[in-house]
Amino acid sequence: MIYIKILFTGFSPFGLEKINPSWEAVKILPDNIKDIEIIKIMIPTVFEKSINNVDKAIQKYDPDVVISVGQAGGRFGINPERIAININDASICDNDGNQPIDTPVFKDGPTAYFTTLPIKSIVKDILKNNIFSSVSNTSGTFVCNHIMYGVLHLIATKYTHKTIRAGFIHVPFIPEQAISKVNQPYLELEKITEALRIAAISCYENKVDIKLIGGSVD
Amino acid sequence: MIYIKILFTGFSPFGLEKINPSWEAVKILPDNIKDIEIIKIMIPTVFEKSINNVDKAIQKYDPDVVISVGQAGGRFGINPERIAININDASICDNDGNQPIDTPVFKDGPTAYFTTLPIKSIVKDILKNNIFSSVSNTSGTFVCNHIMYGVLHLIATKYTHKTIRAGFIHVPFIPEQAISKVNQPYLELEKITEALRIAAISCYENKVDIKLIGGSVD
Amino acid sequence: MIYIKILFTGFSPFGLEKINPSWEAVKILPDNIKDIEIIKIMIPTVFEKSINNVDKAIQKYDPDVVISVGQAGGRFGINPERIAININDASICDNDGNQPIDTPVFKDGPTAYFTTLPIKSIVKDILKNNIFSSVSNTSGTFVCNHIMYGVLHLIATKYTHKTIRAGFIHVPFIPEQAISKVNQPYLELEKITEALRIAAISCYENKVDIKLIGGSVD
Amino acid sequence: MIYIKILFTGFSPFGLEKINPSWEAVKILPDNIKDIEIIKIMIPTVFEKSINNVDKAIQKYDPDVVISVGQAGGRFGINPERIAININDASICDNDGNQPIDTPVFKDGPTAYFTTLPIKSIVKDILKNNIFSSVSNTSGTFVCNHIMYGVLHLIATKYTHKTIRAGFIHVPFIPEQAISKVNQPYLELEKITEALRIAAISCYENKVDIKLIGGSVD
């Protein structure tokens, strides 16, 4: 029987928010889903430090898959990200007061990395469960993109002993956050966790992604 | 005195639209702006063909800068694009009926190209003229991204005799298009053309981009 | 002990929808909430017929409160309506093919009726349960406004034997409806039903509405 | 030849805004449009005071039509209002610090007044000029609704010597206001003024409104 290990990371709250739905959802994932062992860590919303934390966790746990999760206020559904780009361009400060503008994540890194998660499969499986989901083509230029790029770069350059798949999933606000704002979309925390659980299974079942319409005109 | 040549491309209408604001705006640009010669061509909203047309135009005109312009229905302002990615993922058919799903633009190309236009300068200069503008981090996965990637790849691999700078600018609907829809943002055609004129001057004046806040959290 | 009877009405699906969240939510309300007896009827999304059905139900059940519920696609939360106006102005056909334009609901009726439900109390109580809610100042000009006006007019002119309070609550799409659309807000069916349950209790507990900020600038 | 007099009112800036597009647009209307004399006054964004100012202007100028204009931030087009309701419910303070909650505009007034302007004609004529416009069914519960209700009530009770028609038109932000916000719709000042000019002519040409689809489902 094949048994795999998935490392999920969630962020600490940032900006004006008191909670971060990414960590709230990750932390209540079960420790085991079918033949998948789930490892869960919270990482700080801080440039570099966040990557260092995941670096250590990869060393410690030797996962087969790394799924980083982050908050995307204003989005309606679960968004597996297609690509991470080699740029830090912060419009607000991170939690340590850093605000890099147009600097690379890794100086010697390529322009971008495509996710190695089966994102079309994940979207299809989440939609089947009546939770809104679509592929996103930008993870921004803040710490979310930073961690996605960073982890893919570490895997491509440092953890080459086996094929570790990795990628990023953006999740909406949860009701507690949206209720104090005007007309902000949100998703129940349980739905987000359920979507992440489904994503874990999709990764387990789909080594290669499916071909499915899911692009964006602009 | 330095004299430069800028090739502007605009697209033919696609989807359900009868006009494409990108070509409408490009075609009424003046032939000369200060020391800039402006060359204007319409290209078909068709995978590959669009690139072939720009390829021929580069050969014919030997421009210093190539600015492709495309329609982004639903956006509020002028969006210089930061990055083009090596993927075709069409959610609708192009004008020749092609609908590639998750294929590369160029099989041997890198994952992505950053624009070589001074996008922060362009945004700053357009905003100074009271026209809404911001950097965008995704040009989608349809023909707009295709042409941006394609042109940057041609320049990187085929037109290496001099430094040709290139990139893409997304523009909103114009009033004629928005008026038949419900609550769709738009920009006057004259404003779009004015913004493109300003962008041309920014490219002329800024060989290197400025450092300016302009990133996106997600 | 005071015992009251609340008549809830929900609509049949209309337009392109296969279900109507108003009836879905109303039909699963419990038959009793504390000292409130809940009566539930489905009414057709049809001008006049809908009023005739509620008229018969008022005769049959002699309720103390009538709460009509309707679907408002595109809205984010639960919206108790402040006012009903004496106009039918249909932008689409009702389920019998009627499309009245600028006709009165009742020829001899006043321009408008204010709700007699404690809408500020309802909003406050629903928000306390982490479900988004706000007062709305328009119920449109289709069958939703029609039934709200119609019921208030019947109560003002025909059912004057006792003080029957009445009003209307608009509810968002549920996930099943929103998932096939792009970026449409929705609320879980259970949340909508929970909000209606809370509204029933608010009506029971607040004969007079509270003073609370809840207006709209435009 | 019939000659008519139209009194246009525009508001002073309120909330966080430094200009109010309603007055900016009204003040640059021509003094004469065909056989229409245009009178223009600025009124304060203050409960009661605003009505007193219009009251005095009606006495002074004896207009045939009164068109009050107000800012509706967030709206996309020109919105002639269908109805004014007898309520003041301020979510922010007016310019004198008043914040009435759920009080009547006039204690002895009816629940609501329908506009007596030909709003469907106005919308049709503005759309013909490629400016977005639609009928609105709520003018809110702040000073905009207050002035619309107040003027219609004065006409119904005090100025009964002739048939004065009156109503309200909501207009969007202008670019100067929208540019400092994120993704806010706006309309050029010249377009707003042009729309008001068209509205004046529509009022002149249509004593009775046309029948035209223009309602709202919710």
Side-chain angles (χ1 to χ4, degrees), chain C residues 81-99:
Chain C
E81 294 290 345
R82 190 192 293 266
I83 196 154
I85 63 179
N86 194 11
I87 201 107
N88 303 314
D89 192 9
S91 56
I92 57 171
C93 286
D94 73 10
N95 288 354
D96 273 5
N98 305 305
Q99 189 173 17

Side-chain angles (χ1 to χ4, degrees), chain B residues 66-102:
Chain B
V66 182
I67 302 178
S68 300
V69 185
Q71 163 191 301
R75 298 202 194 181
F76 278 78
I78 303 292
N79 287 153
E81 294 291 345
R82 190 191 295 265
I83 195 153
I85 64 178
N86 194 10
I87 202 107
N88 303 314
D89 192 10
S91 55
I92 57 172
C93 285
D94 73 12
N95 288 354
D96 273 5
N98 305 305
Q99 189 173 16
I101 294 180
D102 292 339

Side-chain angles (χ1 to χ4, degrees), chain A residues 72-73 75 82-83 85 89 91 99 101-102 111-112 114 120 137-138 141-142 170 211-213 215-218, chain B residues 72-73 75 82-83 85 89 91 99 101-102 111-112 114 120 137-138 141-142 170 211-213 215-216 218:
Chain A
R75 297 203 193 179
R82 190 192 294 265
I83 195 154
I85 65 178
D89 192 9
S91 55
Q99 189 173 18
I101 294 181
D102 291 341
T111 304
F114 281 120
K120 297 276 178 90
N137 297 303
T138 176
T141 58
F142 193 53
H170 259 124
K211 286 246 169 191
L212 200 71
I213 290 175
S216 168
V217 169
D218 57 59
Chain B
R75 298 202 194 181
R82 190 191 295 265
I83 195 153
I85 64 178
D89 192 10
S91 55
Q99 189 173 16
I101 294 180
D102 292 339
T111 305
F114 281 120
K120 296 274 178 93
N137 297 303
T138 176
T141 57
F142 193 54
H170 259 125
K211 286 245 168 188
L212 201 71
I213 290 175
S216 169
D218 55 61

Side-chain angles (χ1 to χ4, degrees), chain A residues 20-29 69 171 189 192-193 196:
Chain A
N20 191 316
S22 66
W23 173 240
E24 299 302 315
V26 164
K27 80 174 174 200
I28 56 174
L29 278 169
V69 185
V171 302
L189 181 58
I192 296 177
T193 301
L196 297 181

Side-chain angles (χ1 to χ4, degrees), chain B residues 2 26 32 45 62 70 85 102 119 121 131 166 169 172 179 200:
Chain B
I2 307 151
V26 164
N32 290 281
T45 302
D62 191 31
I85 64 178
D102 292 339
I119 52 176
S121 308
I131 301 172
I169 297 178
I179 203 141

Side-chain angles (χ1 to χ4, degrees), chain D residues 138-195:
Chain D
T138 175
S139 57
T141 58
F142 193 54
V143 187
C144 288
N145 172 73
H146 182 81
I147 197 73
M148 179 176 172
Y149 185 94
V151 172
L152 286 161
H153 188 67
L154 285 177
I155 289 170
T157 55
K158 184 172 172 185
Y159 297 104
T160 53
H161 65 294
K162 69 174 182 184
T163 305
I164 306 178
R165 292 180 290 156
F168 194 90
I169 297 179
H170 259 125
V171 301
F173 285 139
I174 54 176
E176 288 87 313
Q177 300 177 282
I179 202 141
S180 59
K181 303 175 176 76
V182 175
N183 287 348
Q184 274 291 350
Y186 63 79
L187 206 54
E188 314 291 316
L189 180 59
E190 301 72 38
K191 292 251 173 165
I192 296 177
T193 301
E194 173 64 7

Side-chain angles (χ1 to χ4, degrees), chain C residues 14 71-73 75 82-83 85-87 89-92 99 101-103 111-114 120 137-142 170 211-218, chain D residues 14 71-73 75 82-83 85-87 89-92 99 101-103 111-114 120 137-142 170 211-218:
Chain C
F14 66 91
Q71 163 191 300
R75 298 201 193 181
R82 190 192 293 266
I83 196 154
I85 63 179
N86 194 11
I87 201 107
D89 192 9
S91 56
I92 57 171
Q99 189 173 17
I101 294 180
D102 291 340
T103 62
T111 304
Y113 284 104
F114 281 120
K120 297 274 178 92
N137 297 304
T138 176
S139 56
T141 58
F142 193 54
H170 259 124
K211 285 245 170 192
L212 200 72
I213 291 175
S216 169
V217 170
D218 55 60
Chain D
F14 67 91
Q71 163 191 301
R75 298 202 193 179
R82 191 192 293 264
I83 195 153
I85 64 179
N86 194 11
I87 201 109
D89 192 9
S91 55
I92 57 172
Q99 189 173 16
I101 293 180
D102 291 341
T103 62
T111 304
Y113 284 104
F114 281 119
K120 296 275 178 92
N137 296 304
T138 175
S139 57
T141 58
F142 193 54
H170 259 125
K211 286 245 170 191
L212 201 70
I213 290 174
S216 170
V217 169
D218 56 61

